[in-house]
Amino acid sequence: QKKIDSKESLPTVQNSDSLTAKALATPEGDATDALSKDVFSEYISLKKSGNLNPASIDQLAERITSNIALPANAEFKVANLKTFDDRDSVMVRVYGNTFALIEKKYRDQYGLDPIQSEDLSTGLTSANPNSIQKIDRTSKMYSDMAHELMTLSVPKSLASIHTDLANNYIQSSQGLKNMELLQKDPTRAIIGIEQHTKASGEEPLLLTKITNFFGSNGIIFTAGEPGFSLNTLNSQ
C-alpha cells in the first residue's frame, strides 16, 4: 500500500466486468477459476502496455482482491414479520419464552456433535466425509433457526434487530456451506470462513440488544420459564 501511495499517475487497467464478482454473485459459480482468469487478463494487459513493474503488480492485486466478496443480500426483511405493540406485556413474555426455546433447541442440537478445530483444518483439507457432514449439518441448523425465528410475532421496536439476527444466522449458514468447497473452489471457501467468522462476531451484540429489551420493559422471567436464561444477559 505504501508503494501504491508513493506513486502518482500509475497506469490503471480498470476491469468493470469482473469475472470474479460475477462468479461470486452466482451460488454455483467457480470463484477460483474466475479469479485466475481476471488476474491473468490484467497481468497480460500490463505486460503489453509496458507498465509491468512491482508497483503496478501491487496495484493489480489490490484491484483484483477488491472484487473478492460475497453479495451481502439480506434474505429476510422487517416486512416479513408479524409485529405487536411493545406495551402488550403478555405478548412480550410469550415472545421472549418462544425465542429462548428456539435458541436452546438448536444450541442443544449443535452441542450433540459440535464442530471441532480439526474439522476446520485437516477435515476440510482432506475432504473428510465426517467433517463435511458435520459442517453441512451445522449450516442447516443455522438456516432452520433463522427461518423459525422469522415465524414469531415480534415487538415492533425489536423487529429490525430480530430480522438482523435471522439474517446473521443465514450468513453463518452460507459461510459454512462455502467452507465445504475448499477442495473444489478454495477462493469461495476462504470467503466462507470470513463470512462465518464475521457473522459469529456480530451475533452476541444482536442477542444482547434483544435480551436487554426485556429488562428495559420490566419483563423478568421466572425460574420456571424458558426465558429465564435471558435474565443473565439483561443484567449485563
Side-chain angles (χ1 to χ4, degrees):
Q1 186 62 51
K2 286 182 179 178
K3 287 181 182 179
I4 294 171
D5 292 341
S6 67
K7 301 290 182 180
E8 291 184 4
S9 303
L10 270 176
T12 300
V13 181
Q14 294 292 347
N15 186 358
S16 59
D17 198 29
S18 165
L19 295 173
T20 311
K22 285 184 176 180
L24 289 171
T26 308
E28 64 274 10
D30 190 328
T32 302
D33 181 62
L35 177 65
S36 300
K37 291 176 180 177
D38 275 341
V39 171
F40 183 72
S41 174
E42 295 217 25
Y43 177 86
I44 292 300
S45 295
L46 283 172
K47 192 171 183 179
K48 285 182 177 180
S49 68
N51 293 312
L52 188 62
N53 55 62
S56 65
I57 289 175
D58 284 344
Q59 192 180 47
L60 183 154
E62 177 73 17
R63 187 165 60 253
I64 289 292
T65 54
S66 68
N67 291 316
I68 304 179
L70 288 163
N73 297 325
E75 181 162 336
F76 302 114
K77 298 179 181 179
V78 173
N80 300 139
L81 280 176
K82 296 177 182 177
T83 60
F84 59 85
D85 195 299
D86 295 5
R87 293 170 295 184
D88 189 336
S89 59
V90 173
M91 285 294 291
V92 170
R93 188 173 291 274
V94 169
Y95 164 75
N97 282 318
T98 311
F99 178 88
L101 280 172
I102 292 172
E103 289 278 328
K104 183 178 185 303
K105 178 176 77 171
Y106 288 102
R107 294 185 191 284
D108 286 350
Q109 286 181 20
Y110 174 74
L112 294 175
D113 192 14
I115 295 174
Q116 305 294 340
S117 59
E118 55 265 29
D119 292 315
L120 300 176
S121 53
T122 55
L124 281 176
T125 55
S126 64
N128 183 297
N130 290 332
S131 294
I132 298 298
Q133 186 180 44
K134 189 182 294 187
I135 293 169
D136 188 64
R137 185 170 58 250
T138 304
S139 171
K140 186 176 184 304
M141 285 181 191
Y142 270 113
S143 178
D144 289 348
M145 181 162 57
H147 283 86
E148 192 165 346
L149 284 174
M150 289 302 292
T151 66
L152 299 184
S153 291
V154 179
K156 286 183 180 178
S157 64
L158 270 184
S160 179
I161 297 169
H162 184 95
T163 305
D164 286 346
L165 180 64
N167 281 321
N168 175 277
Y169 290 152
I170 290 295
Q171 290 299 308
S172 275
S173 174
Q174 292 175 350
L176 287 167
K177 286 294 292 182
N178 283 315
M179 286 162 60
E180 295 176 23
L181 301 172
L182 187 62
Q183 294 288 329
K184 179 183 177 182
D185 189 353
T187 298
R188 188 181 287 274
I190 291 170
I191 296 171
I193 293 171
E194 181 182 5
Q195 185 181 24
H196 176 59
T197 302
K198 183 175 183 292
S200 295
E202 293 171 348
E203 179 192 4
L205 178 60
L206 292 169
L207 286 172
T208 299
K209 287 181 178 179
I210 289 175
T211 55
N212 283 345
F213 168 84
F214 300 112
S216 299
N217 285 272
I219 303 294
I220 305 298
F221 298 98
T222 64
E225 294 180 288
F228 183 71
S229 61
L230 304 176
N231 291 339
T232 303
L233 284 176
N234 288 342
S235 63
Q236 294 179 0

